[in-house]
Amino acid sequence: VRVLQWNVLADGLSNDGFLVQDSLSGEENAYDFARLVHEVASARSNAKDAKHMGGESNLEVLREAFATERMNLSHKAVVDWERRWIMMRMLILKSQPHVLVFQEMDHMSEAQQHLGLLGYACALPDRRGQDESKYVPAHTVLRQEREKDAVAYLKHLHDTSVAFAPKTPSNCRKFGLKSRPADADDDGVAIF
């Protein structure tokens, strides 16, 4: 049995300010990523002190220094969901695993549709072979006051019969609402 396990980096979390190595061609404008990582680690250690003293932290100075067009383009080249999703499906086709497990999946409807075309189903074991299990985002069913209610959560998982366990409420959805409000979703674990 071949199992493919993948932490997909939730799209809603991909633009939270983390650093990516310069992935654009042309060495003339490339930055020293190892040096940058060291500078960020050092700046983090002084960030709390600067905050308490009311001054600007070295993290803010670094953020300003690296908020360049090249850095933004490099970031987009690495974390762009459409590009990553195409590459993931290409690897799935090439390796032909029997079981797929995704962590931080926040495009569940899309995954269910696209992977269904490749012959994968995302349904609870007692529901396989029955009517198509269709993903219903938990945040559309469980209102804020019930998102942490374990009984309501388990009922939702059972009712949808999809083998997907979202984090509710998730930071992924909270951050995703800023960049893609129409389809921001909670991230979670999916099994196909």
Side-chain angles (χ1 to χ4, degrees):
V1 173
R2 282 186 307 279
V3 177
L4 183 143
Q5 178 276 327
W6 201 315
N7 184 318
V8 300
L9 173 61
D11 192 22
L13 297 174
S14 68
N15 196 21
D16 68 350
F18 75 89
L19 300 170
V20 297
Q21 190 160 358
D22 192 335
S23 60
L24 304 176
S25 62
E27 293 297 315
E28 68 280 356
N29 293 320
Y31 55 85
D32 182 352
F33 190 70
R35 189 190 103 235
L36 175 60
V37 170
H38 176 72
E39 288 180 29
V40 168
S42 297
R44 280 189 145 173
S45 67
N46 85 351
K48 286 184 179 178
D49 294 336
K51 197 176 211 180
H52 291 302
M53 300 174 127
E56 186 174 37
S57 76
N58 288 352
L59 274 175
E60 293 303 317
V61 172
L62 280 174
R63 184 174 301 166
E64 292 294 321
F66 283 92
T68 65
E69 184 62 25
R70 182 178 182 87
M71 181 66 158
N72 291 335
L73 290 172
S74 189
H75 188 269
K76 286 179 183 172
V78 172
V79 301
D80 176 70
W81 172 254
E82 300 300 325
R83 180 175 293 147
R84 290 186 295 131
W85 185 231
I86 289 169
M87 298 300 287
M88 284 182 244
R89 288 180 297 178
M90 288 172 53
L91 181 67
I92 290 166
L93 282 170
K94 184 176 181 178
S95 61
Q96 298 182 352
H98 299 99
V99 179
L100 301 169
V101 182
F102 296 106
Q103 288 83 27
E104 291 192 29
M105 174 57 76
D106 65 337
H107 285 269
M108 189 56 203
S109 293
E110 181 180 3
Q112 193 174 27
Q113 177 187 2
H114 290 170
L115 296 175
L117 295 173
L118 300 178
Y120 293 95
C122 184
L124 295 177
D126 62 338
R127 303 288 182 90
R128 290 198 183 272
Q130 296 178 8
D131 292 336
E132 177 88 14
S133 299
K134 181 147 173 59
Y135 172 64
V136 177
H139 68 270
T140 63
V141 177
L142 303 175
R143 299 297 171 218
Q144 281 186 330
E145 65 275 1
R146 296 186 63 210
E147 282 184 328
K148 293 183 180 181
D149 178 349
V151 173
Y153 178 80
L154 291 173
K155 181 179 180 339
H156 168 72
L157 295 181
H158 183 267
D159 290 349
T160 62
S161 72
V162 176
F164 177 69
K167 295 179 223 162
T168 59
S170 73
N171 285 333
C172 174
R173 182 164 186 276
K174 182 174 76 175
F175 296 147
L177 286 170
K178 295 176 184 173
S179 60
R180 52 184 183 96
D183 66 346
D185 199 359
D186 293 305
D187 66 310
V189 175
I191 302 173
F192 287 82

